[in-house]
Amino acid sequence: MVEIKVKGTDEKLRIENIYCIGRNYLEHIKEFDTPEKKLEAPKEPMVFLKPNTAAITADYISIPVLKGKKISDNLQNEVELVVVIGKDGVSIPKENAMEYVYGYAVGIDFTLRDVQAALKKEGMPWALSKGFLMSAPVSEIVKKEEVKNAENLCIRLKLNGEIKQDANTSMMIFKLPYLIHYISSIFGLKKGDMIFTGTPAGITKLNSGDKIEAEIETVGKLNVMVV
Ligand code: MG
């Protein structure tokens, strides 16, 4: 069972499914451009999942080890606004989607970029590169009443004190009500589900000893050390 503390209360919320949106900020999509190939903005949200063991949160992150060897040498940061769902729903209309939100958190969608690239090349699912243990740490959850407009918040990530990601949640391609409508129509949503809403530009290769400070205005902060 994975539980996350609710800020300012004694409550903890049990985390169920973790939905993640890829390519939801234009400047981030451009980070993958090569002279031969430019990625287009998606026509519909690009959804992938992580197991809830990804949300086990500590103050450190490490690359999984298999047969005595780290499975990657390119761990990267993706700071994201996380929407936490407060009640069950299927085919939730966009118009009242925000009624289904319990609150928000700061999350990091840690990614093994080399593993992801290799799996993509083979046309294989990239679960390993995104869903590994503790790959989706989150801050305490802030109840939605405390966040005036989740679609206009500064979102930042510092690496060893230097700003690497600096954007605003207003820059998302697919907005929160549509993401809730879309995911609930296909998968259904449950209380305790989380939606990682995509990362802005500024992904960086991380090294052991790196100190990451992620922050979203009025939502909170999350500090993680790479070990
Ligand atoms: Mg991401």
Side-chain angles (χ1 to χ4, degrees):
M1 185 158 72
V2 181
E3 294 182 315
I4 305 291
K5 193 175 177 300
V6 180
K7 193 179 172 188
T9 71
D10 297 327
E11 294 165 48
K12 281 182 169 182
L13 197 70
R14 194 170 89 192
I15 299 308
E16 301 287 346
N17 302 297
I18 304 172
Y19 297 97
C20 303
I21 307 301
R23 302 181 193 164
N24 206 22
Y25 288 78
L26 203 56
E27 293 305 310
H28 169 62
I29 297 173
K30 290 182 187 165
E31 294 186 289
F32 295 95
D33 282 354
T34 62
E36 301 80 43
K37 200 177 162 202
K38 272 191 171 21
L39 283 179
E40 303 258 325
K43 303 267 185 294
E44 288 285 12
M46 198 177 111
V47 183
F48 62 93
L49 285 95
K50 299 197 185 214
N52 68 2
T53 46
I56 296 172
T57 299
D59 56 2
Y60 67 92
I61 177 77
S62 59
I63 296 170
V65 171
L66 187 70
K67 297 173 191 161
K69 194 169 168 283
K70 286 186 180 179
I71 65 166
S72 163
D73 53 15
N74 193 355
L75 174 70
Q76 297 195 350
N77 54 280
E78 295 190 0
V79 62
E80 307 197 7
L81 174 69
V82 178
V83 176
V84 183
I85 299 299
K87 58 178 180 175
D88 298 5
V90 175
S91 300
I92 300 166
K94 249 181 9 179
E95 295 66 36
N96 53 354
M98 301 312 279
E99 291 169 21
Y100 288 76
V101 175
Y102 179 89
Y104 302 96
V106 182
I108 303 175
D109 168 17
F110 279 111
T111 304
L112 305 173
R113 197 68 66 192
D114 48 352
V115 176
Q116 186 190 37
L119 291 168
K120 270 190 195 168
K121 203 174 159 196
E122 297 291 324
M124 283 163 58
W126 23 274
L128 255 71
S129 67
K130 286 283 197 180
F132 59 96
L133 182 65
M134 295 164 73
S135 60
V138 288
S139 65
E140 289 182 348
I141 296 164
V142 173
K143 288 190 175 175
K144 66 175 170 189
E145 292 76 20
E146 294 181 39
V147 179
K148 269 197 203 111
N149 181 4
E151 294 191 299
N152 185 15
L153 300 172
C154 294
I155 176 167
R156 261 189 214 113
L157 182 138
K158 285 190 207 165
L159 175 61
N160 302 322
E162 187 189 334
I163 295 177
K164 290 287 183 186
Q165 296 191 274
D166 188 7
N168 191 289
T169 58
S170 62
M171 294 156 75
M172 285 183 201
I173 295 169
F174 297 105
K175 308 295 181 190
L176 305 183
Y178 189 66
L179 293 176
I180 291 168
H181 170 69
Y182 186 84
I183 294 171
S184 70
S185 299
I186 294 169
F187 301 95
L189 277 169
K190 287 168 70 181
K191 180 178 180 179
D193 285 350
M194 298 199 299
I195 305 172
F196 276 63
T197 55
T199 195
I203 54 174
T204 311
K205 183 179 175 188
L206 303 169
N207 295 300
S208 283
D210 280 348
K211 201 179 140 208
I212 296 163
E213 298 164 83
E215 185 174 4
I216 300 175
E217 182 187 359
T218 71
V219 175
K221 291 183 182 179
L222 177 63
N223 293 339
V224 183
M225 176 79 101
V226 182
V227 296

